[in-house]
């Protein structure tokens, strides 16, 4: 897949304060959603495409799936322009949007399954093999006869993914596939996507705000912010950047001494972040502020510190930190 110097501009109506005038307003302004974005994705890769709200992720997916035409640049998916020969192209891709359903709401799941068979002209043999394999892998045999509206969110999402894979797509686009799922359903979805990728060499393009999805599924991430590509590489590299940053929580047994301890920490270690709430001090220490050993020595000498906990940044904190450093 080649995404080359892609820009996308939307025309949006200029807003007026008066909603009546807004109705007649014909002034437009240009909103730039993607600015010269380029990347390539190889067959069989799983890519995490991430960025904060409004960064341009959905716009990218819409261009890659042929729903939107870029304002400039070139996009080739599976060697073809996704806007051309749509009927042939859509038979080669699968799409799951976490906030939109491909299933027919009032009918049992199996009805959508048969509709897909017809829509994608899936040969009988391929269809039966895929249906048996996918339903077993995703453990949804018992759900197929149930009307979609009666399924839980997790059950529905498992069915959505199966339906998107019946026609053996070469690329699977997943937009927030674990949105609203509980921890167990998320793990089931992760394991399934991994299995499909390994077994069928399906390329997976995953957009998500859930860093656990990224952690579980991808090694390569592309980060987009304010329409520009800001990072393309190993997710591990971002995690390593914050390896030495530790969050420490101290419990003080003499609350009247807490401000004096906090002041000493501030003077000696100059932490970026420090919070004092009730009998607890929260501090963030990184390599640049002195070694963790020095800090532990400092607290071990303080008799009024009852208890302390040290932890690394969790994955959400790492990515939030990275976004704020990139100013997106
Ligand atoms: N049809 C449209 N008309 C005008 N502006 C749009 C349109 N679609 C998206 N935008 C704007 O383009 C920018 C990128 O939007 P996009 O939906 O691609 O972001 P996103 O990264 O998918 O965000 P989110 O994580 O919130 O879904 C945003 O500023 C958005 O307001």
């Amino acid at each position: 897949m080649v995404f080359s110097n892609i820009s996308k501009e939307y025309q949006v109506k200029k807003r007026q304060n008066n909603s009546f005038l807004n109705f007649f307003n014909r002034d437009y302004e240009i909103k730039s959603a993607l600015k010269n974005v380029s990347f390539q994705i190889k067959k069989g890769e799983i890519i995490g495409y991430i960025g904060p709200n409004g960064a341009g992720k959905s716009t990218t997916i819409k261009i890659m799936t042929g729903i939107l035409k870029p304002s400039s640049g070139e996009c080739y998916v599976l060697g073809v322009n996704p806007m051309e020969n749509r009927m042939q192209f859509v038979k080669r891709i699968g799409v799951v949007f976490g906030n939109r359903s491909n299933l027919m709401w009032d009918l049992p799941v199996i009805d959508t399954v048969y509709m897909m068979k017809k829509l994608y002209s899936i040969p009988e043999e391929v269809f039966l093999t895929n249906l048996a394999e996918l339903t077993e892998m995703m453990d949804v045999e018992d759900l197929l006869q149930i009307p979609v509206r009666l399924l839980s969110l997790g059950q529905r999402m498992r069915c959505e993914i199966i339906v998107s894979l019946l026609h053996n797509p070469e690329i699977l686009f997943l937009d927030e596939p674990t949105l609203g799922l509980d921890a167990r359903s998320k793990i089931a979805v992760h394991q399934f996507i991994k299995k499909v990728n390994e077994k069928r060499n399906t390329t997976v393009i995953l957009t998500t705000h859930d860093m656990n999805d990224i952690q579980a599924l991808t090694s390569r991430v592309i980060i987009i912010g304010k329409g520009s590509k800001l990072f393309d590489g190993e997710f591990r590299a971002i995690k390593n950047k914050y390896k030495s940053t530790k969050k420490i929580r101290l419990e003080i047994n003499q609350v009247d001494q807490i401000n004096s301890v906090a002041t000493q920490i501030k003077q000696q270690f100059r932490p970026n972040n420090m919070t004092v709430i009730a009998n607890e001090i929260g501090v963030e220490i990184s390599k640049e502020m002195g070694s963790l050993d020095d800090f532990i020595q400092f607290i071990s000498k303080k008799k009024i510190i009852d208890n302390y906990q040290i932890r690394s940044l969790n994955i959400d904190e790492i990515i939030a930190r990275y976004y704020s450093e990139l100013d997106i």
Side-chain angles (χ1 to χ4, degrees):
M1 174 182 313
V2 180
F3 210 70
S4 174
N5 297 313
I6 296 273
S7 295
K8 175 69 193 174
E9 281 147 9
Y10 292 109
Q11 218 185 25
V12 279
K13 225 177 184 183
K14 266 192 184 161
R15 287 198 69 75
Q16 314 248 346
N17 288 337
N18 184 324
S19 55
F20 180 71
L21 287 181
N22 246 339
F23 187 74
F24 295 103
N25 179 25
R26 300 210 179 278
D27 284 347
Y28 287 89
E29 58 188 352
I30 298 294
K31 169 135 208 157
S32 179
L34 289 179
K35 299 169 197 156
N36 245 339
V37 175
S38 300
F39 53 80
Q40 296 199 10
I41 297 170
K42 289 199 201 86
K43 170 135 192 68
E45 269 193 284
I46 303 185
I47 294 289
Y49 194 65
I50 61 174
N53 290 131
K57 301 178 297 293
S58 302
T59 303
T60 308
I61 300 292
K62 284 177 188 163
I63 293 172
M64 291 195 280
T65 50
I67 297 170
L68 269 184
K69 190 174 187 305
S71 308
S72 62
E74 287 187 338
C75 174
Y76 288 99
V77 179
L78 298 166
V80 299
N81 177 343
M83 297 290 293
E84 288 168 8
N85 223 337
R86 294 270 309 142
M87 286 304 280
Q88 285 307 313
F89 177 71
V90 293
K91 284 186 180 172
R92 300 176 67 192
I93 64 166
V95 184
V96 176
F97 288 107
N99 58 1
R100 220 172 308 141
S101 181
N102 285 325
L103 304 168
M104 294 186 285
W105 192 241
D106 287 314
L107 300 176
V109 180
I110 195 73
D111 288 16
T112 307
V113 166
Y114 277 100
M115 186 191 77
M116 290 297 181
K117 176 177 185 279
K118 259 214 135 59
L119 208 63
Y120 287 97
S121 328
I122 308 171
E124 183 77 13
E125 209 176 305
V126 177
F127 172 76
L128 291 175
T129 315
N130 276 354
L131 183 60
E133 186 182 286
L134 293 169
T135 47
E136 200 215 317
M137 264 161 91
M138 221 12 177
D139 193 21
V140 295
E141 285 105 329
D142 298 341
L143 305 179
L144 295 179
Q145 302 302 334
I146 302 177
V148 174
R149 67 187 149 77
L150 299 180
L151 297 176
S152 76
L153 185 61
Q155 291 169 333
R156 181 168 70 72
M157 190 47 70
R158 286 189 289 167
C159 295
E160 296 278 358
I161 297 177
I162 280 174
V163 160
S164 72
L165 287 166
L166 284 169
H167 58 294
N168 275 341
E170 293 159 73
I171 302 184
L172 181 59
F173 292 93
L174 296 169
D175 190 4
E176 298 282 351
T178 59
L179 194 71
L181 300 194
D182 66 29
R184 208 167 46 143
S185 303
K186 275 185 191 177
I187 292 171
V189 167
H190 292 158
Q191 286 173 342
F192 179 69
I193 295 167
K194 263 195 163 150
K195 250 194 240 172
V196 168
N197 166 260
E198 279 163 17
K199 228 174 155 178
R200 301 180 169 193
N201 203 24
T202 312
T203 309
V204 179
I205 318 269
L206 167 74
T207 59
T208 182
H209 289 291
D210 188 330
M211 288 307 125
N212 292 314
D213 290 351
I214 298 292
Q215 178 105 314
L217 289 169
T218 71
S219 54
R220 178 180 165 199
V221 289
I222 297 175
I223 299 183
I224 184 160
K226 295 178 184 157
S228 299
K229 188 181 90 171
L230 301 167
F231 178 85
D232 181 351
E234 293 282 309
F235 189 46
R236 215 179 17 194
I238 299 174
K239 284 198 291 185
N240 281 345
K241 194 169 149 52
Y242 300 99
K243 217 168 52 184
S244 70
T245 304
K246 304 288 174 201
K247 281 199 172 264
I248 303 163
R249 201 172 61 84
L250 310 171
E251 274 176 42
I252 313 283
N253 59 26
Q254 290 174 29
V255 181
D256 57 335
Q257 298 287 310
I258 199 162
N259 285 331
S260 138
V261 177
T263 308
Q264 284 177 49
I265 293 172
K266 241 186 217 164
Q267 283 168 352
Q268 214 165 316
F269 297 94
R270 304 195 176 281
N272 282 339
N273 291 314
M274 187 158 94
T275 53
V276 179
I277 300 171
N279 69 329
E280 283 186 14
I281 301 179
V283 199
E284 198 180 291
I285 296 286
S286 65
K287 225 196 256 155
E288 305 78 56
M289 295 164 199
S291 81
L292 185 62
D293 290 347
D294 291 347
F295 191 76
I296 291 172
Q297 235 173 27
F298 168 85
I299 48 181
S300 58
K301 281 188 202 145
K302 297 265 169 229
K303 297 258 176 319
I304 57 167
I305 297 176
D306 257 354
N307 203 356
Y308 67 87
Q309 287 163 0
I310 303 176
R311 66 167 178 90
S312 301
L313 295 187
N314 66 35
I315 204 73
D316 285 327
E317 288 165 341
I318 287 175
I319 214 73
R321 194 68 52 96
Y322 194 64
Y323 286 171
S324 69
E325 274 181 26
L326 293 171
D327 189 26
I328 55 175

